Amino acid sequence: YGEYDTEVHKPGFLAEEELLPKRVINLYQMTAEMWEERITACYAEHRGRTKDEAEMEYLKIAQDLDMYGINYFLIRNKKGTDLLLGVDALGLHIYEPENKLTPKCSFPWNEIRNISYSDKEFTIKPLDKKTNVFKFNSSRLRVNKLILQLCIGNHDLFMRRRRVDSLEVQQMKAQAREERARKQIERQRLQREKQLREDAERARDELERRLIQLQDEAHMANEALLRSEQTADLLAEKAQIAEEEAKLLAKKAAEAETEMQRIKVTAMRGQEERRIMEQKVLEAEKRALKMAEESERRTKEAEQLKQDLQEARDSERRAKNKLLEITSKAIYMSPGLPSDSVPQDLNFSRENLSFDFKDTDMKRLSMEIEKEKVEYMEKSKHLQEQLNELKTEIESLKLKERESSLDIIHSQNTEQGTSKHSNFKKLTLQSTKSRVAFFEEL
């Protein structure tokens, strides 16, 4: 599938793949979508790895599984007890038929001197000549041939792994390391270019989004300006009408005052006329007072309209300034990247490796192998934590009633903290003689 890509690897892209055995799928109360979701989450974190690196990491995890690389054969010891013989890269292991995970005894390859068979009888001679050989019978001659071939092949690989490499092999390994380093630099360069391209695309999208936003703001500012102009014209018209009404009321108030003076002079002519005139004067005064109050109210209203007109003109001026500011920003926006956005090139260096080929001691080689394993465990710590987290998460979804006998044995071994390697080390600490005797007594 290559590098994980959200645009390409959409939900359902693993629907046709048989990624898990049916036994595992039936063991957990999880749908295919739930499995795909968890697998995809792990897949997304492995970006930047080559196919070879991914396969090697997969094998490093698989090799620690209890039944990885073991071939099982049904055999019988001298007493006729049915047992299982397991052949793998570490040595020979003897199991009870119902338990293929925990061996009863083991014989590492470095303690075996010779292996042979005659008819259906198989003979293994330990390196210690004082120790008795141990023999077992298999059901068919073809099985003995297959066991012998597997033993020879695994033993040869075991010894070859622990021999010092020849000068030619060392040169080939050095060339391979240089080639890996060169490919790593090339991958990092491509990854850097890819990252720069993605950053440029994100910056372009952001600038386009910002430009659209500025265009929207300019459009809204134009609409606000148009509304402000309309409001200002309307307020100006209202202010003019109010001012004309105030002048008309003032003129009427002056005419009423003149009429009141004339009535006062005429009222002097007679008592009756005076009384009538006084009444008219009172009425005229009331009308004059009312007109004066109305004139004052109209004057205040005209002043308020003038103030509103001034505020509308100020709002119109601010809207014009904001429109000019937005227009100037849009003119100077550019969808290009700044020149200083490209990161500096990374420098790479390799340590010079030297080898001392004089020491051929087996213990030193074993220590080197153990050191490689420790280094690998340090490098793969994150991956191990990820796998443990996944185990913990799906443990609650396991259907206990569907567990097989091997599942139950594996769970018990896990709770006790035992593994394939710890069992092998514990069994090989016993003497070869005691292991042979134990095998015959089974």
Side-chain angles (χ1 to χ4, degrees), residues 183-216:
K183 288 183 179 179
Q184 180 68 18
I185 294 174
E186 181 68 17
R187 283 198 302 272
Q188 290 177 352
R189 184 182 65 81
L190 292 175
Q191 189 69 20
R192 187 166 61 248
E193 291 178 355
K194 182 179 179 181
Q195 185 65 37
L196 289 174
R197 185 172 68 253
E198 291 176 354
D199 293 343
E201 291 175 354
R202 281 196 296 270
R204 182 197 61 195
D205 295 340
E206 177 63 23
L207 288 174
E208 290 178 353
R209 187 190 64 78
R210 182 60 181 163
L211 181 59
I212 293 173
Q213 183 180 357
L214 289 173
Q215 290 174 350
D216 292 341

PDB file of all heavy atoms in Angstrom, residues 183-216:
ATOM      1  N   LYS A 183      20.811   5.685   1.045  1.00  0.00           N
ATOM      2  CA  LYS A 183      19.368   5.639   0.826  1.00  0.00           C
ATOM      3  C   LYS A 183      18.623   6.412   1.904  1.00  0.00           C
ATOM      4  O   LYS A 183      17.606   7.049   1.627  1.00  0.00           O
ATOM      5  CB  LYS A 183      18.890   4.188   0.797  1.00  0.00           C
ATOM      6  CG  LYS A 183      19.309   3.428  -0.461  1.00  0.00           C
ATOM      7  CD  LYS A 183      18.742   2.016  -0.446  1.00  0.00           C
ATOM      8  CE  LYS A 183      19.128   1.252  -1.718  1.00  0.00           C
ATOM      9  NZ  LYS A 183      18.594  -0.128  -1.714  1.00  0.00           N
ATOM     10  N   GLN A 184      19.144   6.340   3.143  1.00  0.00           N
ATOM     11  CA  GLN A 184      18.497   7.072   4.233  1.00  0.00           C
ATOM     12  C   GLN A 184      18.572   8.577   3.991  1.00  0.00           C
ATOM     13  O   GLN A 184      17.586   9.310   4.202  1.00  0.00           O
ATOM     14  CB  GLN A 184      19.182   6.709   5.564  1.00  0.00           C
ATOM     15  CG  GLN A 184      18.604   7.411   6.770  1.00  0.00           C
ATOM     16  CD  GLN A 184      17.191   6.951   7.089  1.00  0.00           C
ATOM     17  OE1 GLN A 184      16.769   5.906   6.628  1.00  0.00           O
ATOM     18  NE2 GLN A 184      16.463   7.737   7.860  1.00  0.00           N
ATOM     19  N   ILE A 185      19.755   9.057   3.530  1.00  0.00           N
ATOM     20  CA  ILE A 185      19.897  10.486   3.225  1.00  0.00           C
ATOM     21  C   ILE A 185      18.947  10.878   2.093  1.00  0.00           C
ATOM     22  O   ILE A 185      18.304  11.936   2.133  1.00  0.00           O
ATOM     23  CB  ILE A 185      21.361  10.797   2.857  1.00  0.00           C
ATOM     24  CG1 ILE A 185      22.270  10.597   4.079  1.00  0.00           C
ATOM     25  CG2 ILE A 185      21.494  12.222   2.333  1.00  0.00           C
ATOM     26  CD1 ILE A 185      23.737  10.730   3.768  1.00  0.00           C
ATOM     27  N   GLU A 186      18.864  10.016   1.065  1.00  0.00           N
ATOM     28  CA  GLU A 186      17.976  10.302  -0.060  1.00  0.00           C
ATOM     29  C   GLU A 186      16.515  10.342   0.395  1.00  0.00           C
ATOM     30  O   GLU A 186      15.742  11.223  -0.020  1.00  0.00           O
ATOM     31  CB  GLU A 186      18.165   9.221  -1.133  1.00  0.00           C
ATOM     32  CG  GLU A 186      17.315   9.421  -2.373  1.00  0.00           C
ATOM     33  CD  GLU A 186      17.735  10.629  -3.190  1.00  0.00           C
ATOM     34  OE1 GLU A 186      18.872  11.121  -2.975  1.00  0.00           O
ATOM     35  OE2 GLU A 186      16.935  11.080  -4.023  1.00  0.00           O
ATOM     36  N   ARG A 187      16.134   9.394   1.271  1.00  0.00           N
ATOM     37  CA  ARG A 187      14.758   9.389   1.780  1.00  0.00           C
ATOM     38  C   ARG A 187      14.463  10.639   2.584  1.00  0.00           C
ATOM     39  O   ARG A 187      13.385  11.225   2.473  1.00  0.00           O
ATOM     40  CB  ARG A 187      14.516   8.144   2.643  1.00  0.00           C
ATOM     41  CG  ARG A 187      14.314   6.869   1.855  1.00  0.00           C
ATOM     42  CD  ARG A 187      13.661   5.794   2.723  1.00  0.00           C
ATOM     43  NE  ARG A 187      14.442   5.497   3.905  1.00  0.00           N
ATOM     44  CZ  ARG A 187      15.416   4.605   3.952  1.00  0.00           C
ATOM     45  NH1 ARG A 187      15.743   3.915   2.867  1.00  0.00           N
ATOM     46  NH2 ARG A 187      16.078   4.377   5.071  1.00  0.00           N
ATOM     47  N   GLN A 188      15.448  11.045   3.398  1.00  0.00           N
ATOM     48  CA  GLN A 188      15.237  12.251   4.198  1.00  0.00           C
ATOM     49  C   GLN A 188      15.119  13.489   3.310  1.00  0.00           C
ATOM     50  O   GLN A 188      14.323  14.392   3.590  1.00  0.00           O
ATOM     51  CB  GLN A 188      16.379  12.410   5.201  1.00  0.00           C
ATOM     52  CG  GLN A 188      16.362  11.370   6.318  1.00  0.00           C
ATOM     53  CD  GLN A 188      17.547  11.502   7.243  1.00  0.00           C
ATOM     54  OE1 GLN A 188      18.471  12.264   6.978  1.00  0.00           O
ATOM     55  NE2 GLN A 188      17.529  10.750   8.328  1.00  0.00           N
ATOM     56  N   ARG A 189      15.911  13.517   2.225  1.00  0.00           N
ATOM     57  CA  ARG A 189      15.816  14.645   1.298  1.00  0.00           C
ATOM     58  C   ARG A 189      14.440  14.678   0.631  1.00  0.00           C
ATOM     59  O   ARG A 189      13.793  15.732   0.547  1.00  0.00           O
ATOM     60  CB  ARG A 189      16.911  14.537   0.232  1.00  0.00           C
ATOM     61  CG  ARG A 189      16.945  15.733  -0.734  1.00  0.00           C
ATOM     62  CD  ARG A 189      18.011  15.530  -1.793  1.00  0.00           C
ATOM     63  NE  ARG A 189      17.687  14.402  -2.650  1.00  0.00           N
ATOM     64  CZ  ARG A 189      16.825  14.469  -3.668  1.00  0.00           C
ATOM     65  NH1 ARG A 189      16.178  15.586  -3.926  1.00  0.00           N
ATOM     66  NH2 ARG A 189      16.593  13.396  -4.406  1.00  0.00           N
ATOM     67  N   LEU A 190      13.983  13.510   0.177  1.00  0.00           N
ATOM     68  CA  LEU A 190      12.662  13.447  -0.439  1.00  0.00           C
ATOM     69  C   LEU A 190      11.569  13.811   0.555  1.00  0.00           C
ATOM     70  O   LEU A 190      10.592  14.489   0.208  1.00  0.00           O
ATOM     71  CB  LEU A 190      12.423  12.040  -0.998  1.00  0.00           C
ATOM     72  CG  LEU A 190      13.295  11.635  -2.199  1.00  0.00           C
ATOM     73  CD1 LEU A 190      13.040  10.178  -2.560  1.00  0.00           C
ATOM     74  CD2 LEU A 190      13.008  12.522  -3.397  1.00  0.00           C
ATOM     75  N   GLN A 191      11.736  13.353   1.804  1.00  0.00           N
ATOM     76  CA  GLN A 191      10.757  13.673   2.840  1.00  0.00           C
ATOM     77  C   GLN A 191      10.733  15.169   3.109  1.00  0.00           C
ATOM     78  O   GLN A 191       9.661  15.771   3.311  1.00  0.00           O
ATOM     79  CB  GLN A 191      11.101  12.907   4.130  1.00  0.00           C
ATOM     80  CG  GLN A 191      10.028  12.998   5.209  1.00  0.00           C
ATOM     81  CD  GLN A 191       8.766  12.250   4.836  1.00  0.00           C
ATOM     82  OE1 GLN A 191       8.799  11.382   3.977  1.00  0.00           O
ATOM     83  NE2 GLN A 191       7.651  12.600   5.437  1.00  0.00           N
ATOM     84  N   ARG A 192      11.939  15.798   3.105  1.00  0.00           N
ATOM     85  CA  ARG A 192      12.016  17.241   3.331  1.00  0.00           C
ATOM     86  C   ARG A 192      11.341  17.994   2.191  1.00  0.00           C
ATOM     87  O   ARG A 192      10.596  18.959   2.420  1.00  0.00           O
ATOM     88  CB  ARG A 192      13.477  17.648   3.469  1.00  0.00           C
ATOM     89  CG  ARG A 192      13.657  19.111   3.878  1.00  0.00           C
ATOM     90  CD  ARG A 192      15.076  19.377   4.341  1.00  0.00           C
ATOM     91  NE  ARG A 192      16.031  19.118   3.276  1.00  0.00           N
ATOM     92  CZ  ARG A 192      16.919  18.138   3.272  1.00  0.00           C
ATOM     93  NH1 ARG A 192      16.940  17.282   4.279  1.00  0.00           N
ATOM     94  NH2 ARG A 192      17.774  17.970   2.291  1.00  0.00           N
ATOM     95  N   GLU A 193      11.600  17.553   0.935  1.00  0.00           N
ATOM     96  CA  GLU A 193      10.967  18.201  -0.209  1.00  0.00           C
ATOM     97  C   GLU A 193       9.450  18.021  -0.161  1.00  0.00           C
ATOM     98  O   GLU A 193       8.692  18.949  -0.472  1.00  0.00           O
ATOM     99  CB  GLU A 193      11.520  17.615  -1.511  1.00  0.00           C
ATOM    100  CG  GLU A 193      12.985  17.983  -1.758  1.00  0.00           C
ATOM    101  CD  GLU A 193      13.525  17.340  -3.026  1.00  0.00           C
ATOM    102  OE1 GLU A 193      12.778  16.544  -3.637  1.00  0.00           O
ATOM    103  OE2 GLU A 193      14.683  17.629  -3.395  1.00  0.00           O
ATOM    104  N   LYS A 194       9.024  16.827   0.220  1.00  0.00           N
ATOM    105  CA  LYS A 194       7.588  16.583   0.327  1.00  0.00           C
ATOM    106  C   LYS A 194       6.962  17.482   1.386  1.00  0.00           C
ATOM    107  O   LYS A 194       5.877  18.043   1.193  1.00  0.00           O
ATOM    108  CB  LYS A 194       7.345  15.111   0.671  1.00  0.00           C
ATOM    109  CG  LYS A 194       5.885  14.728   0.756  1.00  0.00           C
ATOM    110  CD  LYS A 194       5.727  13.243   1.067  1.00  0.00           C
ATOM    111  CE  LYS A 194       4.274  12.839   1.178  1.00  0.00           C
ATOM    112  NZ  LYS A 194       4.134  11.395   1.517  1.00  0.00           N
ATOM    113  N   GLN A 195       7.675  17.635   2.511  1.00  0.00           N
ATOM    114  CA  GLN A 195       7.164  18.489   3.584  1.00  0.00           C
ATOM    115  C   GLN A 195       7.090  19.945   3.131  1.00  0.00           C
ATOM    116  O   GLN A 195       6.112  20.653   3.430  1.00  0.00           O
ATOM    117  CB  GLN A 195       8.069  18.369   4.817  1.00  0.00           C
ATOM    118  CG  GLN A 195       7.563  19.114   6.042  1.00  0.00           C
ATOM    119  CD  GLN A 195       6.257  18.543   6.560  1.00  0.00           C
ATOM    120  OE1 GLN A 195       6.055  17.337   6.531  1.00  0.00           O
ATOM    121  NE2 GLN A 195       5.360  19.394   7.027  1.00  0.00           N
ATOM    122  N   LEU A 196       8.106  20.398   2.380  1.00  0.00           N
ATOM    123  CA  LEU A 196       8.092  21.765   1.874  1.00  0.00           C
ATOM    124  C   LEU A 196       6.925  21.974   0.912  1.00  0.00           C
ATOM    125  O   LEU A 196       6.267  23.021   0.938  1.00  0.00           O
ATOM    126  CB  LEU A 196       9.424  22.075   1.164  1.00  0.00           C
ATOM    127  CG  LEU A 196      10.652  22.226   2.061  1.00  0.00           C
ATOM    128  CD1 LEU A 196      11.901  22.384   1.218  1.00  0.00           C
ATOM    129  CD2 LEU A 196      10.492  23.420   2.997  1.00  0.00           C
ATOM    130  N   ARG A 197       6.691  20.969   0.051  1.00  0.00           N
ATOM    131  CA  ARG A 197       5.581  21.087  -0.884  1.00  0.00           C
ATOM    132  C   ARG A 197       4.242  21.155  -0.141  1.00  0.00           C
ATOM    133  O   ARG A 197       3.367  21.961  -0.475  1.00  0.00           O
ATOM    134  CB  ARG A 197       5.588  19.904  -1.848  1.00  0.00           C
ATOM    135  CG  ARG A 197       4.511  20.021  -2.930  1.00  0.00           C
ATOM    136  CD  ARG A 197       4.641  18.934  -3.995  1.00  0.00           C
ATOM    137  NE  ARG A 197       4.326  17.619  -3.436  1.00  0.00           N
ATOM    138  CZ  ARG A 197       5.222  16.680  -3.187  1.00  0.00           C
ATOM    139  NH1 ARG A 197       6.507  16.905  -3.452  1.00  0.00           N
ATOM    140  NH2 ARG A 197       4.863  15.509  -2.693  1.00  0.00           N
ATOM    141  N   GLU A 198       4.099  20.299   0.895  1.00  0.00           N
ATOM    142  CA  GLU A 198       2.857  20.335   1.676  1.00  0.00           C
ATOM    143  C   GLU A 198       2.697  21.670   2.388  1.00  0.00           C
ATOM    144  O   GLU A 198       1.590  22.217   2.440  1.00  0.00           O
ATOM    145  CB  GLU A 198       2.864  19.188   2.678  1.00  0.00           C
ATOM    146  CG  GLU A 198       2.742  17.803   2.031  1.00  0.00           C
ATOM    147  CD  GLU A 198       2.842  16.689   3.047  1.00  0.00           C
ATOM    148  OE1 GLU A 198       3.124  16.992   4.236  1.00  0.00           O
ATOM    149  OE2 GLU A 198       2.634  15.509   2.677  1.00  0.00           O
ATOM    150  N   ASP A 199       3.816  22.215   2.931  1.00  0.00           N
ATOM    151  CA  ASP A 199       3.749  23.529   3.589  1.00  0.00           C
ATOM    152  C   ASP A 199       3.348  24.618   2.599  1.00  0.00           C
ATOM    153  O   ASP A 199       2.561  25.514   2.922  1.00  0.00           O
ATOM    154  CB  ASP A 199       5.107  23.864   4.222  1.00  0.00           C
ATOM    155  CG  ASP A 199       5.436  22.945   5.385  1.00  0.00           C
ATOM    156  OD1 ASP A 199       4.510  22.284   5.895  1.00  0.00           O
ATOM    157  OD2 ASP A 199       6.620  22.854   5.772  1.00  0.00           O
ATOM    158  N   ALA A 200       3.923  24.537   1.356  1.00  0.00           N
ATOM    159  CA  ALA A 200       3.581  25.537   0.342  1.00  0.00           C
ATOM    160  C   ALA A 200       2.105  25.449  -0.030  1.00  0.00           C
ATOM    161  O   ALA A 200       1.432  26.478  -0.189  1.00  0.00           O
ATOM    162  CB  ALA A 200       4.458  25.333  -0.891  1.00  0.00           C
ATOM    163  N   GLU A 201       1.593  24.222  -0.157  1.00  0.00           N
ATOM    164  CA  GLU A 201       0.174  24.070  -0.493  1.00  0.00           C
ATOM    165  C   GLU A 201      -0.711  24.590   0.623  1.00  0.00           C
ATOM    166  O   GLU A 201      -1.735  25.238   0.373  1.00  0.00           O
ATOM    167  CB  GLU A 201      -0.127  22.596  -0.773  1.00  0.00           C
ATOM    168  CG  GLU A 201       0.505  22.083  -2.063  1.00  0.00           C
ATOM    169  CD  GLU A 201       0.292  20.594  -2.262  1.00  0.00           C
ATOM    170  OE1 GLU A 201      -0.253  19.952  -1.328  1.00  0.00           O
ATOM    171  OE2 GLU A 201       0.661  20.067  -3.329  1.00  0.00           O
ATOM    172  N   ARG A 202      -0.303  24.299   1.882  1.00  0.00           N
ATOM    173  CA  ARG A 202      -1.095  24.823   3.006  1.00  0.00           C
ATOM    174  C   ARG A 202      -1.057  26.351   3.037  1.00  0.00           C
ATOM    175  O   ARG A 202      -2.080  27.007   3.297  1.00  0.00           O
ATOM    176  CB  ARG A 202      -0.566  24.246   4.319  1.00  0.00           C
ATOM    177  CG  ARG A 202      -1.023  22.828   4.601  1.00  0.00           C
ATOM    178  CD  ARG A 202      -0.800  22.463   6.054  1.00  0.00           C
ATOM    179  NE  ARG A 202       0.612  22.461   6.395  1.00  0.00           N
ATOM    180  CZ  ARG A 202       1.394  21.390   6.296  1.00  0.00           C
ATOM    181  NH1 ARG A 202       0.895  20.255   5.860  1.00  0.00           N
ATOM    182  NH2 ARG A 202       2.670  21.448   6.626  1.00  0.00           N
ATOM    183  N   ALA A 203       0.138  26.938   2.772  1.00  0.00           N
ATOM    184  CA  ALA A 203       0.243  28.400   2.771  1.00  0.00           C
ATOM    185  C   ALA A 203      -0.605  29.005   1.652  1.00  0.00           C
ATOM    186  O   ALA A 203      -1.275  30.026   1.849  1.00  0.00           O
ATOM    187  CB  ALA A 203       1.713  28.812   2.598  1.00  0.00           C
ATOM    188  N   ARG A 204      -0.592  28.343   0.470  1.00  0.00           N
ATOM    189  CA  ARG A 204      -1.413  28.843  -0.638  1.00  0.00           C
ATOM    190  C   ARG A 204      -2.898  28.786  -0.283  1.00  0.00           C
ATOM    191  O   ARG A 204      -3.639  29.752  -0.517  1.00  0.00           O
ATOM    192  CB  ARG A 204      -1.138  28.000  -1.881  1.00  0.00           C
ATOM    193  CG  ARG A 204      -1.906  28.472  -3.129  1.00  0.00           C
ATOM    194  CD  ARG A 204      -1.922  27.381  -4.172  1.00  0.00           C
ATOM    195  NE  ARG A 204      -2.591  26.192  -3.646  1.00  0.00           N
ATOM    196  CZ  ARG A 204      -2.505  24.999  -4.204  1.00  0.00           C
ATOM    197  NH1 ARG A 204      -1.757  24.798  -5.276  1.00  0.00           N
ATOM    198  NH2 ARG A 204      -3.155  23.961  -3.679  1.00  0.00           N
ATOM    199  N   ASP A 205      -3.317  27.668   0.302  1.00  0.00           N
ATOM    200  CA  ASP A 205      -4.725  27.549   0.693  1.00  0.00           C
ATOM    201  C   ASP A 205      -5.100  28.597   1.733  1.00  0.00           C
ATOM    202  O   ASP A 205      -6.198  29.170   1.685  1.00  0.00           O
ATOM    203  CB  ASP A 205      -4.992  26.142   1.241  1.00  0.00           C
ATOM    204  CG  ASP A 205      -4.827  25.061   0.182  1.00  0.00           C
ATOM    205  OD1 ASP A 205      -4.893  25.406  -1.007  1.00  0.00           O
ATOM    206  OD2 ASP A 205      -4.622  23.890   0.567  1.00  0.00           O
ATOM    207  N   GLU A 206      -4.181  28.851   2.661  1.00  0.00           N
ATOM    208  CA  GLU A 206      -4.448  29.852   3.700  1.00  0.00           C
ATOM    209  C   GLU A 206      -4.562  31.242   3.092  1.00  0.00           C
ATOM    210  O   GLU A 206      -5.444  32.033   3.466  1.00  0.00           O
ATOM    211  CB  GLU A 206      -3.334  29.821   4.742  1.00  0.00           C
ATOM    212  CG  GLU A 206      -3.460  30.857   5.850  1.00  0.00           C
ATOM    213  CD  GLU A 206      -4.705  30.671   6.701  1.00  0.00           C
ATOM    214  OE1 GLU A 206      -5.244  29.542   6.739  1.00  0.00           O
ATOM    215  OE2 GLU A 206      -5.146  31.651   7.322  1.00  0.00           O
ATOM    216  N   LEU A 207      -3.673  31.564   2.120  1.00  0.00           N
ATOM    217  CA  LEU A 207      -3.738  32.874   1.471  1.00  0.00           C
ATOM    218  C   LEU A 207      -5.031  33.015   0.659  1.00  0.00           C
ATOM    219  O   LEU A 207      -5.652  34.086   0.654  1.00  0.00           O
ATOM    220  CB  LEU A 207      -2.522  33.056   0.570  1.00  0.00           C
ATOM    221  CG  LEU A 207      -1.178  33.271   1.297  1.00  0.00           C
ATOM    222  CD1 LEU A 207      -0.038  33.285   0.303  1.00  0.00           C
ATOM    223  CD2 LEU A 207      -1.199  34.564   2.102  1.00  0.00           C
ATOM    224  N   GLU A 208      -5.417  31.930  -0.026  1.00  0.00           N
ATOM    225  CA  GLU A 208      -6.672  31.994  -0.773  1.00  0.00           C
ATOM    226  C   GLU A 208      -7.857  32.199   0.163  1.00  0.00           C
ATOM    227  O   GLU A 208      -8.764  32.985  -0.128  1.00  0.00           O
ATOM    228  CB  GLU A 208      -6.849  30.700  -1.580  1.00  0.00           C
ATOM    229  CG  GLU A 208      -5.871  30.580  -2.750  1.00  0.00           C
ATOM    230  CD  GLU A 208      -6.034  29.273  -3.494  1.00  0.00           C
ATOM    231  OE1 GLU A 208      -6.818  28.418  -3.006  1.00  0.00           O
ATOM    232  OE2 GLU A 208      -5.400  29.091  -4.552  1.00  0.00           O
ATOM    233  N   ARG A 209      -7.823  31.481   1.281  1.00  0.00           N
ATOM    234  CA  ARG A 209      -8.904  31.655   2.252  1.00  0.00           C
ATOM    235  C   ARG A 209      -8.929  33.083   2.794  1.00  0.00           C
ATOM    236  O   ARG A 209     -10.001  33.697   2.944  1.00  0.00           O
ATOM    237  CB  ARG A 209      -8.724  30.664   3.397  1.00  0.00           C
ATOM    238  CG  ARG A 209      -9.872  30.643   4.391  1.00  0.00           C
ATOM    239  CD  ARG A 209      -9.509  29.821   5.611  1.00  0.00           C
ATOM    240  NE  ARG A 209      -8.407  30.411   6.338  1.00  0.00           N
ATOM    241  CZ  ARG A 209      -8.533  31.460   7.164  1.00  0.00           C
ATOM    242  NH1 ARG A 209      -9.726  32.018   7.338  1.00  0.00           N
ATOM    243  NH2 ARG A 209      -7.488  31.937   7.800  1.00  0.00           N
ATOM    244  N   ARG A 210      -7.726  33.635   3.085  1.00  0.00           N
ATOM    245  CA  ARG A 210      -7.639  34.994   3.602  1.00  0.00           C
ATOM    246  C   ARG A 210      -8.118  36.015   2.571  1.00  0.00           C
ATOM    247  O   ARG A 210      -8.796  36.985   2.912  1.00  0.00           O
ATOM    248  CB  ARG A 210      -6.187  35.290   3.993  1.00  0.00           C
ATOM    249  CG  ARG A 210      -5.956  36.666   4.598  1.00  0.00           C
ATOM    250  CD  ARG A 210      -6.763  36.870   5.857  1.00  0.00           C
ATOM    251  NE  ARG A 210      -6.556  38.190   6.419  1.00  0.00           N
ATOM    252  CZ  ARG A 210      -7.361  38.753   7.305  1.00  0.00           C
ATOM    253  NH1 ARG A 210      -8.432  38.107   7.729  1.00  0.00           N
ATOM    254  NH2 ARG A 210      -7.098  39.958   7.765  1.00  0.00           N
ATOM    255  N   LEU A 211      -7.780  35.762   1.283  1.00  0.00           N
ATOM    256  CA  LEU A 211      -8.208  36.674   0.227  1.00  0.00           C
ATOM    257  C   LEU A 211      -9.730  36.677   0.105  1.00  0.00           C
ATOM    258  O   LEU A 211     -10.356  37.739  -0.031  1.00  0.00           O
ATOM    259  CB  LEU A 211      -7.569  36.252  -1.098  1.00  0.00           C
ATOM    260  CG  LEU A 211      -7.889  37.117  -2.318  1.00  0.00           C
ATOM    261  CD1 LEU A 211      -7.440  38.552  -2.085  1.00  0.00           C
ATOM    262  CD2 LEU A 211      -7.232  36.553  -3.566  1.00  0.00           C
ATOM    263  N   ILE A 212     -10.334  35.484   0.153  1.00  0.00           N
ATOM    264  CA  ILE A 212     -11.798  35.395   0.095  1.00  0.00           C
ATOM    265  C   ILE A 212     -12.424  36.120   1.287  1.00  0.00           C
ATOM    266  O   ILE A 212     -13.428  36.833   1.157  1.00  0.00           O
ATOM    267  CB  ILE A 212     -12.232  33.921   0.052  1.00  0.00           C
ATOM    268  CG1 ILE A 212     -11.788  33.278  -1.265  1.00  0.00           C
ATOM    269  CG2 ILE A 212     -13.741  33.793   0.215  1.00  0.00           C
ATOM    270  CD1 ILE A 212     -12.019  31.779  -1.320  1.00  0.00           C
ATOM    271  N   GLN A 213     -11.788  35.951   2.464  1.00  0.00           N
ATOM    272  CA  GLN A 213     -12.300  36.623   3.655  1.00  0.00           C
ATOM    273  C   GLN A 213     -12.233  38.147   3.501  1.00  0.00           C
ATOM    274  O   GLN A 213     -13.169  38.870   3.852  1.00  0.00           O
ATOM    275  CB  GLN A 213     -11.508  36.179   4.879  1.00  0.00           C
ATOM    276  CG  GLN A 213     -12.003  36.770   6.185  1.00  0.00           C
ATOM    277  CD  GLN A 213     -11.190  36.294   7.376  1.00  0.00           C
ATOM    278  OE1 GLN A 213     -10.294  35.474   7.234  1.00  0.00           O
ATOM    279  NE2 GLN A 213     -11.492  36.819   8.543  1.00  0.00           N
ATOM    280  N   LEU A 214     -11.107  38.655   2.943  1.00  0.00           N
ATOM    281  CA  LEU A 214     -10.969  40.098   2.729  1.00  0.00           C
ATOM    282  C   LEU A 214     -11.993  40.606   1.706  1.00  0.00           C
ATOM    283  O   LEU A 214     -12.547  41.706   1.860  1.00  0.00           O
ATOM    284  CB  LEU A 214      -9.549  40.417   2.265  1.00  0.00           C
ATOM    285  CG  LEU A 214      -8.439  40.266   3.318  1.00  0.00           C
ATOM    286  CD1 LEU A 214      -7.077  40.455   2.684  1.00  0.00           C
ATOM    287  CD2 LEU A 214      -8.638  41.261   4.455  1.00  0.00           C
ATOM    288  N   GLN A 215     -12.231  39.806   0.659  1.00  0.00           N
ATOM    289  CA  GLN A 215     -13.231  40.199  -0.323  1.00  0.00           C
ATOM    290  C   GLN A 215     -14.612  40.284   0.307  1.00  0.00           C
ATOM    291  O   GLN A 215     -15.379  41.222   0.028  1.00  0.00           O
ATOM    292  CB  GLN A 215     -13.229  39.204  -1.485  1.00  0.00           C
ATOM    293  CG  GLN A 215     -11.983  39.291  -2.363  1.00  0.00           C
ATOM    294  CD  GLN A 215     -11.945  38.204  -3.417  1.00  0.00           C
ATOM    295  OE1 GLN A 215     -12.752  37.268  -3.374  1.00  0.00           O
ATOM    296  NE2 GLN A 215     -11.014  38.313  -4.365  1.00  0.00           N
ATOM    297  N   ASP A 216     -14.929  39.325   1.175  1.00  0.00           N
ATOM    298  CA  ASP A 216     -16.221  39.364   1.874  1.00  0.00           C
ATOM    299  C   ASP A 216     -16.322  40.591   2.772  1.00  0.00           C
ATOM    300  O   ASP A 216     -17.370  41.257   2.831  1.00  0.00           O
ATOM    301  CB  ASP A 216     -16.408  38.087   2.701  1.00  0.00           C
ATOM    302  CG  ASP A 216     -16.571  36.847   1.825  1.00  0.00           C
ATOM    303  OD1 ASP A 216     -16.901  37.022   0.635  1.00  0.00           O
ATOM    304  OD2 ASP A 216     -16.346  35.724   2.338  1.00  0.00           O
TER     305      ASP A 216
END
